[in-house]
Amino acid sequence: MRRQAVLDQVFRDEWGRVLASLVGYLGDIELAEEAAQEAFAAAAERWPRDGIPANPTGWLITTARHRAIDRIRRERALAAKTEQLAYELRDKPEETVDETTTFPDERLELIFTCCHPALALDAQVGLTLRTLGGLSTEEIARAFLVPFETMSKRLTRAKHKIRDAGIPFAVPPDYLLPDRLDAVLAVIYLIFNEGWGGGRVDLSEEAIRLGRSLVELMPDEAEAHALLALMLINHARSGARFHGGELVLLDDQDRALWDQGQIDEGRVLLERALTLRGDGPYLIQAAIAELHLAQPRDWQEIEVLYHRLEHVTGSPVVTMNRAIAVAELDGPEAALALLDRLELDDYRYYHSTRADLLRRLGREDEARTAYARARELTQPGPEQRFLNRRLADLSESAEQ
C-alpha cells in the first residue's frame, strides 16, 4: 500500500514534466498524452516488481518516446518524421532504457502554449489542468460543473487549434512576455478561486502546485512569487473555513486550525516578491491577505492597499472590497455610497456585501432583497446555506 502511494506521488509530480518534454519532442499534444499514458502504465506494471529507477523522469520520458515512435510506425504515417525521431534511439531498445539520461525541463514552454491568447479562457484553464496538473478530463469537467462530453470536446478543440494554427511550443520573446505571463498567472489564480469559492480544496491545491512550478521555472518573476504567496496565505485557512459543512467567517474561525507552515511560507514568498521590486496586483493582494491575518486588523492600511489595487486594475470588484474597509473606517453609510456606484448585478459577493451593510444600517427589507439576490446567484453548498441563515435571522427579527 505504501509503495502504491509512492508510485501515485511520483506520477502526480512527474506528469507535467514528462508531458512537456514529449510535446517539445513530438510537437503534438495528443500524441504526447497517449505516449505518456502508455509509459506511466508500463511503470505501474514494472516498478512494483523491479523497483523505482534512480531517474524516474528519464525512464518515463525515454519509454514514452519509444512508445510514440512505435505508434507512428504502426500507423504508417509521418514516415519522414518517424525516421528523424527514431534516429537517436534506434540502437536503444526499450528494454535497455538509460536511466541516467537527463532531459531539459520544458514545463514553462507548455504553460505558455496552454495559455496562448488564441485559445479561449475556458480552454486555457482546462488544458493547463490536463497537461500540467495531470487531472483527468472527468475530474476537470466535475470541477467546472460541465458534462464530461463538453469538457472533452473543449480540450480536443484546444489541442487541434494549437496544432493547426502552429502555436509555438516556446516561451514568448521578451517584448511579449509581460502580457503572456499575466495570462498564465490569471489562469492559475482562476483555478485557485474555483476551488476556494466552491470549497474544492483539491482544486485549490492543484493551483498551488502549478504556482510552485511557475516559481521554480521563473525564479526572478516577482508576480509569480506573489501569486503563490497569496494562494498559500488564503489556503492556510482552509481547515477553519467550514465547520460541520457550514461556512465560518474569518473573525469566527478557530486560528488553531490554520496551517502556520503555509502562512510562514507565504510570508517568505511575499518578502521575496518585494525584494524583486514587485508592484503588481498579486503582490498587493498578497499583502492585503497577510494583513487580514492580524488581530486587530489594520483597516487603514488595508484600505490604502485596496485603493492602490483599484488604481492598478480598474476593477469594480476591487472597489467593492475597498468598500468593506471603508465601512470599518467611516461606517456602513459611506461604504454603501461607494457600492451603489458599481455595476455588479451578476456578482454574488456584491449583493451579499451590500446586504450586510444594509443590515447594519437597520434597513432590513432592503437587506432581505439583497441577500435573496446573492442566494439566487450562489451554487448550492455552504455559502448558500450561510445566506439562508442570514435570511432566516432577518425574518425572525421582523416577526418580533
Side-chain angles (χ1 to χ4, degrees), residues 271-335:
E271 286 296 324
R272 175 62 178 155
L274 289 167
T275 301
L276 290 168
R277 301 184 181 280
D279 60 356
Y282 295 106
L283 186 144
I284 300 171
Q285 289 177 80
I288 292 170
E290 198 277 334
L291 284 170
H292 273 296
L293 301 180
Q295 274 189 327
R297 274 174 273 180
D298 187 343
W299 287 109
Q300 187 73 50
E301 183 63 19
I302 290 171
E303 196 275 336
V304 167
L305 287 175
Y306 268 127
H307 201 279
R308 183 174 161 193
L309 184 62
E310 194 176 16
H311 177 73
V312 170
T313 65
S315 168
V317 173
V318 174
T319 305
M320 183 204 79
N321 284 313
R322 183 165 72 86
I324 297 171
V326 168
E328 297 299 323
L329 295 169
D330 302 323
E333 194 76 58

Side-chain angles (χ1 to χ4, degrees), residues 126-295:
L127 204 54
T128 299
L129 284 172
R130 179 75 191 98
T131 57
L132 273 300
L135 272 68
S136 69
T137 303
E138 185 176 7
E139 287 176 312
I140 301 168
R142 190 164 57 246
F144 289 92
L145 304 174
V146 298
F148 171 85
E149 293 77 12
T150 300
M151 183 56 69
S152 180
K153 290 177 182 177
R154 188 176 295 171
L155 293 174
T156 299
R157 283 196 301 269
K159 294 171 194 173
H160 289 177
K161 185 162 189 176
I162 288 171
R163 182 194 64 200
D164 298 341
I167 292 174
F169 180 75
V171 176
D174 289 347
Y175 74 95
L176 289 176
L177 188 58
D179 288 343
R180 291 285 300 281
L181 178 59
D182 286 349
V184 171
L185 295 168
V187 164
I188 294 174
Y189 194 38
L190 176 61
I191 294 168
F192 178 82
N193 280 328
E194 284 289 335
W196 180 256
R200 286 289 308 278
V201 173
D202 55 339
L203 201 55
S204 296
E205 288 174 346
E206 193 57 49
I208 289 171
R209 273 171 33 84
L210 292 169
R212 289 192 192 281
S213 295
L214 194 61
V215 165
E216 177 187 346
L217 296 166
M218 304 186 77
D220 296 324
E221 286 293 339
E223 281 289 81
H225 287 81
L227 174 59
L228 183 54
L230 171 62
M231 293 190 295
L232 284 168
I233 289 170
N234 282 331
H235 192 261
R237 298 190 288 104
S238 294
R241 285 187 73 217
F242 303 98
H243 180 73
E246 299 297 327
L247 181 68
V248 181
L249 297 181
L250 176 59
D251 289 337
D252 299 323
Q253 289 175 12
D254 181 355
R255 290 170 173 251
L257 298 176
W258 290 2
D259 187 328
Q260 191 60 45
Q262 287 191 348
I263 292 172
D264 292 342
E265 184 184 359
R267 285 170 171 159
V268 170
L269 286 159
L270 179 56
E271 286 296 324
R272 175 62 178 155
L274 289 167
T275 301
L276 290 168
R277 301 184 181 280
D279 60 356
Y282 295 106
L283 186 144
I284 300 171
Q285 289 177 80
I288 292 170
E290 198 277 334
L291 284 170
H292 273 296
L293 301 180
Q295 274 189 327

